[in-house]
Amino acid sequence: MLGKRAIVLCAIGIVLVGVTYIVGLRPFQKAGEIKAVDACATLGDPSRAVAALRAVVPEHASYAFDDNVPDPRRDSMDSSYLTTCFIYGDGQQLGWAEAEMTEYDHPSGWIEEVVEQYDSASSLTPFTAGDKAVASPRVAAVYLPCTSHGSQRHLSVVVHLKQPGDADGTVLRSHLIVLAKNAAVFAHRKARCDRGAVG
């Protein structure tokens, strides 16, 4: 018959195995590593992007990225630009980033129609970048001027965290801001913008 100590140790073992499944790791499986060589180019500077990603996503055995540029801006008269980056952990989508050329009469319209899809207005607080930038522990977004052809042609850069890691809200928000600004710098250059700066 098992003693009390053995029963307690067995119970602890069962709990630990259950926790590893909950966080997406099989028992005794090493956590995966997010590598700069694998990260989306559209996230910008890879060392900064990877450091920020490591701080915000949950632990998984493996990570994968899907980087797309379905609508590059080919010349100064082109009025569109679109890139997307999807981040996966063990096949689950953890988050994504998107940069798109768009036009709103006022940045407040952009926040209401674009950013508030991913978090409530009360959760969003401003940070310094572009014409307008807001963030929460779930999303960070920058609205910055791009072209001189059309008075309101801007880039909308949004990073959305669908499955956050264990960091607290302040840490999540600060690293999402790094990701958004990093992606905005990349988009501003690749979209051949001749107005504004990320800041």
Side-chain angles (χ1 to χ4, degrees):
M1 189 171 180
L2 289 174
K4 287 183 180 179
R5 186 166 183 268
I7 292 170
V8 169
L9 289 174
C10 285
I12 290 171
I14 290 167
V15 169
L16 289 174
V17 169
V19 168
T20 61
Y21 276 111
I22 290 167
V23 300
L25 295 174
R26 292 188 293 275
F28 315 113
Q29 185 173 31
K30 186 179 177 183
E33 182 183 357
I34 300 173
K35 298 177 182 177
V37 69
D38 298 325
C40 296
T42 54
L43 289 176
D45 180 87
S47 60
R48 281 197 294 267
V50 166
L53 283 169
R54 288 174 179 160
V56 299
V57 298
E59 281 194 354
H60 283 277
S62 64
Y63 297 94
F65 296 84
D66 183 11
D67 204 12
N68 295 287
V69 186
D71 190 4
R73 187 166 186 244
R74 302 182 192 284
D75 57 50
S76 61
M77 297 307 291
D78 194 343
S79 61
S80 62
Y81 178 80
L82 176 65
T83 67
T84 58
C85 168
F86 297 96
I87 304 128
Y88 298 93
D90 294 334
Q92 302 174 49
Q93 191 180 110
L94 306 179
W96 54 262
E98 179 182 86
E100 182 176 20
M101 193 175 291
T102 188
E103 189 168 345
Y104 285 87
D105 291 335
H106 301 285
S108 58
W110 164 75
I111 293 172
E112 289 171 11
E113 290 188 27
V114 177
V115 189
E116 287 179 18
Q117 294 181 62
Y118 310 108
D119 213 344
S120 63
S122 61
S123 299
L124 299 168
T125 54
F127 65 94
T128 303
D131 276 1
K132 191 73 175 179
V134 291
S136 75
R138 295 181 58 82
V139 64
V142 181
Y143 187 68
L144 65 155
C146 182
T147 80
S148 53
H149 303 289
S151 61
Q152 301 297 330
R153 300 305 291 172
H154 280 61
L155 286 175
S156 166
V157 179
V158 180
V159 178
H160 175 45
L161 186 60
K162 294 180 71 174
Q163 294 189 36
D166 294 331
D168 69 29
T170 302
V171 172
L172 292 173
R173 180 183 181 275
S174 66
H175 286 288
L176 284 176
I177 288 171
V178 170
L179 285 167
K181 291 175 93 169
N182 217 41
V185 169
F186 178 91
H188 195 265
R189 178 168 51 87
K190 285 293 185 177
R192 304 169 187 267
C193 295
D194 57 15
R195 290 179 61 233
V198 177

